[in-house]
Amino acid sequence: MENGIIENGEKERSDGSSRHKVQPEQPAPLTWQRKLSSEGRTPLQFNLTLQEKLHLAPIGVRLWHHSKVEAVHGRDTIFDFTKKRHITGHQGVPLGGIGAGSIGRSYRGEFQRFQLFPKVSEDVPILANQFSVMVSRPNGKKFSTVLCPRTTKMAKESAGSGTEFWDWNLNGDKCTYHALFPRAWTIYDGEPDPDLRIVTRQLSPIIPHNYKESSFPVSVFTFTVSNQGRTSADVSLLFTLVNSVGGVSGFSGGHFNSNMETSDGIHGILLHHRTANGHPPVTFAIAAEESSDVHISKCPSFLISGSSHAFTAKDMWYEIKKNGSFDHINRNDNLAPSEAGSSIGAAIAASVVVPPGSVRTITFSLAWDCPQVRFGDNVYYRRYTKFYGTNGDAAAKIACDAILEHAQWESQIDTWQGPILHDRRLPSWYPVTLFNELYYLNSGGTIWTDGSPPVRNLLSGQVKFSLDQAKLGLKNVVGNDTAVEIIERMASTLSRIHGPVTSNTAFGTCLLQDGEENVGQFLYLEGNEYLMWNTYDVHFYSSFALVMLYPKLELSIQRDFAAAVMLHDPQRRKIMSDGKWVPRKVLGAVPHDIGLNNPWFEVNAYNLFNTDRWKDLNPKFVLQVYRDFIATGDLNFAKAVWPSVYIAMAYMEQFDKDGDGMIENEGFPDQTYDAWSVTGVSAYCGGLWVAALQAASALACEVGDTASGNYFWIKYQKAKVVYDKLWNGCYYNYDNSGSRASASIHADQLAGQWIARACGLLPIADNDKVRSALEKVFEFNVSQMKGGTRGAVNGMLPDGRIDMSAMQSREVWPGVTYSLAASMIQEGLMDMAFQTAAGIYEAAWSEKSLGFSFQTPEAWNENDEFRSLCYMRPLAIWAMQWALSKPKLFGQEIQNQESEESQYFSHHTCFSKIASLLKLEDEPPKSFFQILYECTCRRLAS
C-alpha cells in the first residue's frame, strides 16, 4: 500500500539490528533523490480571483502606503512588495546549524539562498562557489569538470566572470543527489572519469537535544573516491568560494582574504567580508584535512570579475588543471583588499593518488563567523559565541573542529534517524519527508541568541505599563483569596521581568528560576515572504518539531510569550483592514508575533487585523504551555508561566457574549485563517477554547491552584455542550451564523480535539462524531482534491464543490493537512492518515512534485499555484510523529471531576472582576459604506 501502513506481503525494510559504523559514502537507507540533470518544476505563484481582489484592495492600498512610510524610517514591513524573488525548483539541503545563519544549496550543487543577516535572503546562486575535480591517468587521459551541470542560463551569467573558462562537462544523467536532512549525498558514478566513483557527503551538526554543536555555523563535505580502473588515478578536488554574502555584496569593495594557520593537519583560507547596510562583518573559512595520502594546496585569492592584473579565475583554473595543485603559484600572505566593482574568491585543493581498486577520502569544511545580530540599536550575540567567543575571529577554529568532530556528529544523527527509517509501520515516503521538512529550522531565517540582554538598548519614550502598576486597589474589588494570590504571584513575576534592560519587553529569560539553564532565545520567521518572528498562531502547528527535538528552545519561546501576555504597550499603530489606530499590544492578549524590526521590544508586527481581538491566540498559548509541561515535566516552567495562563484565560471572558461559557467570533477573520471570516460559535476557535479550558484546569491542579482547577473544569463542561451544537449529523459546521459558509466542511474543524488528545487530555467530542467528521473530511476535502494527490483543501461545500467564498477556503495548507493526519492517527485511522498526508508528499516532494521541495509553502490552490514559499507551518509533520511515537507524558491523569456549584459561582465573581479589568473598548458600528462594500463582495462570491 503506497500511502498507508505496510501490510503483509509487502517488501519490508531491514530492522537495522546489525548496525555498523556510519560510512560517509553510503547514503541513508531512505532518501529524497534527484538526478542532477533534472530540470525540476518552477513553482507557479498564486493569482487572486476578482472577488478576492475587490475584498483585499483596501488592505493592499494601505499596506503599500504603510511600507513607503516605514521605508523612510529605515524599517521593514511584514511584506516586501519591492523584492523580485528568484524562484526555482532546485532546492536541496541547506548548510549550517540552527540560528547562526544559513547558506542554501541546490541538488545540482549551487550555493544559494544566503541568509546570514536577519530578514535578508539573497536567493540567486553565486556561480563561482563550487566543488570541482581534475583526474589524470598514466596513459595520458585527463578529465576535469565543475561538479555542477551547466545550463544555458548559467552560461550567460558566467560571461565576464572568468568562470566561463572553467570546464562545465558534468553529465548530470549519471549523477544522483540523495537528501535526508541534515545530510546530503551526491554520487558521481563514472563522472567525469568512467572508472571513478566519487561520493560527496554534506553534513551539518543539527543534532536533537544538543544545544551546543547544533548552533555552529558550519558544514563538512567528505569526498570518497573509488578507483574501479586498472591504473592509478591522480585526483585533485577543488573548493572555490567567493568573498560574498550573496547578491551584489561581493562587488562593494574592501574585502580581503588571508591564509589560515595550519592546525592538526588542517589547512585553510579566511575570507574577510566587509558588509554594508549596517550589517555586522562576516568571516568565512574554507578548510581541508591533509594526511599521508592527501596533499593540500591553496590559492588564497583570485580575481573573479573587475579590471585588474591580478591572478584571475581563468588563471586559477588553468593552474590546477595543469599541475593538479597550487604549489607552483606565488603565495602572498599580505593580500590587498578588493576594489569597488570587482569581486574576489579563494580556492583550496586536495590532491591524492588513488591506486586501482582502492578508496581514498578527502574532507573539506565551510564555516562562517558573524557573532552579532542587530535589530536597530539593539545588538545580540548568537548562541555559538558561548563556545567560540564574540570577537569574530572564530571561523578558522570552527572549521577545524568540524573536520575533527564530524564523524561523531554523524554517528549521533544516524542514531537519531535510524529507528524511524527502519520502522516497518511507515510508508517509505514518510520518514524522508519527516526529516527533510526540518530544513526550516535552518532556512527559516532562524536566530538563536546566547540569552543575554542586548548590548545596547534605547528604551521607548512612551510609557508602557504592566499589571503590577495597574493592580493598586485590586484586593478591594477582588474579594477572593485564590484570585488575589494569583494577582500577587503575577506581580512578583513581573517585578523580576522589569529590570533596567528588559523593562517592558517580552524577555522570557527573566522567568527562569535560580539555577535553571539559559539556553538562549530563539526566533524564526513565519515565512521567507512573511516577515514576522515566532508567529504564534502558526507556531502552534510547527512547535511539535521543537518540543520533540529541542524542548528547551520550545520552553524559551513559551517564556517569551508568557512575558508578553503581561505586557501593555499603548503605542498606536494603524490596522490595514479598516484604517483604525489601536494600541500595539494590550494586557492579557497573546501577541500574534514577537515582532520584526525590534523583537521582544516591539511585539505584534502583524497589522492586517487587530490581533488583540483574535480568538485562537490565547487558547493556543494555554494549550501549548500545558503540552510543553507534560512533555518535559518541568514544574518550574509551569509555575513561572501559570500567572500568564490565568490572565490569558481571563482576557477571553469578554468574547463570551451570552455567558454560556463559549467564546464567539466577531464576523471578521479573527484567527489564523486571516482571509476567511467567521461569525459566532465556530468549530475551529470553539474547539480550541474547549480544549484550553480543560488544559487550564489540568495545569492549575499541577501548580497547586485547586480552586482555579475546579473553576476551569466547570467552564470546560459548559463550553463543551455549546460546541456540540455545531454538530450537523456528519461533521461540525464551520460556524453557527447560518450563512452560506456555515455549512462548509472545514479540514481543521477538529483542531481542538487533535491538540487535546496530543496533550493527554480527555476528548472534547464523542468518539463516533470525531470519526464521522474525519471520514467526511477525508471523503470530501482530501479525496475530491485532485483525486487525493494534493492534501486537504481547507473548505469544501456539502455538494462536493470547493468553497470559493474566500482565498483561504480554496487553499490546501500543508501544515494543516499534516495536523489533520496526526488527528487521524490519534483516532486509530492510520491508513486514512497516511493517504491524507501523502497528498502533501505528492505535491511538494515526489518526482512529479510542483517544485516545492525544501521550500514547502504555506498554501497551494486548485490550480497548483503556491502562496508564500518556505513557510513555518509544514513543520507540523512532527505532530504525526508525536502521535505515532506516543511519548511519555508527565503530569496527573486527567479524569472527570465533580465540583460544587457554590464554589464555581464564588470563584466566577472574582474571575469576572479580573476579566473586566482586561476588557477592550467596544468596537464602533460599521459604516453604511463598509456594510455596502462587504455585501457586494459576498454577492460576487455567490
Side-chain angles (χ1 to χ4, degrees), residues 305-500:
S305 64
S307 57
S308 173
H309 299 292
F311 196 69
T312 66
K314 176 182 177 181
D315 298 330
M316 182 276 300
W317 186 265
Y318 286 173
E319 177 67 24
I320 190 72
K321 185 176 178 179
K322 176 183 177 182
N323 297 312
S325 74
F326 295 117
D327 291 339
H328 302 284
I329 68 171
N330 179 29
R331 276 186 50 183
N332 186 353
D333 292 329
N334 298 310
L335 302 169
S338 63
E339 299 177 358
S342 67
S343 63
I344 58 173
I348 187 166
S351 306
V352 62
V353 177
V354 187
S358 298
V359 178
R360 294 291 183 268
T361 300
I362 301 99
T363 303
F364 296 89
S365 66
L366 166 64
W368 56 93
D369 187 15
C370 182
Q372 291 186 359
V373 179
R374 296 178 183 174
F375 291 107
D377 295 305
N378 290 332
V379 178
Y380 304 83
Y381 288 104
R382 298 184 190 269
R383 168 69 176 176
Y384 77 87
T385 63
K386 282 274 190 181
F387 317 104
Y388 286 104
T390 61
N391 294 329
D393 57 0
K397 185 72 167 68
I398 297 171
C400 289
D401 289 349
I403 289 177
L404 296 174
E405 299 174 11
H406 75 278
Q408 181 181 352
W409 299 348
E410 182 158 33
S411 178
Q412 293 172 0
I413 292 169
D414 194 64
T415 299
W416 158 44
Q417 295 183 336
I420 298 175
L421 294 174
H422 294 103
D423 190 335
R424 300 175 181 176
R425 299 175 300 167
L426 308 174
S428 59
W429 62 263
Y430 169 76
V432 177
T433 310
L434 177 75
F435 290 118
N436 283 336
E437 287 285 17
L438 288 174
Y439 83 95
Y440 198 78
L441 292 182
N442 167 279
S443 296
T446 50
I447 293 171
W448 186 357
T449 78
D450 65 359
S452 301
V455 174
R456 184 182 177 198
N457 171 44
L458 300 179
L459 292 176
S460 169
Q462 292 205 3
V463 177
K464 303 177 186 179
F465 70 86
S466 51
L467 197 61
D468 57 340
Q469 294 169 320
K471 71 182 183 70
L472 299 177
L474 264 182
K475 286 192 177 184
N476 295 327
V477 297
V478 182
N480 179 275
D481 291 341
T482 301
V484 170
E485 180 184 351
I486 288 176
I487 295 296
E488 290 174 345
R489 286 162 63 188
M490 285 190 288
S492 174
T493 301
L494 287 167
S495 66
R496 287 183 287 121
I497 292 177
H498 291 181

Side-chain angles (χ1 to χ4, degrees), residues 236-256:
S236 293
L237 287 163
L238 177 69
F239 184 13
T240 53
L241 191 76
V242 179
N243 195 326
S244 170
V245 294
V248 298
S249 62
F251 299 92
S252 57
H255 317 307
F256 69 98

Side-chain angles (χ1 to χ4, degrees), residues 707-720:
S708 295
N710 292 335
Y711 175 71
F712 287 125
W713 181 261
I714 294 178
K715 286 180 72 71
Y716 154 69
Q717 292 177 314
K718 293 176 63 179
K720 184 180 176 183

Side-chain angles (χ1 to χ4, degrees), residues 58-95:
I59 295 179
V61 171
R62 293 189 186 102
L63 270 174
W64 179 83
H65 181 264
H66 173 69
S67 66
K68 296 294 183 183
V69 172
E70 291 291 277
V72 170
H73 296 91
R75 294 168 57 87
D76 293 313
T77 52
I78 60 175
F79 306 118
D80 186 351
F81 296 106
T82 63
K83 182 171 182 178
K84 184 178 180 181
R85 301 193 175 274
H86 179 78
I87 298 174
T88 75
H90 300 153
Q91 304 295 336
V93 174
L95 307 176

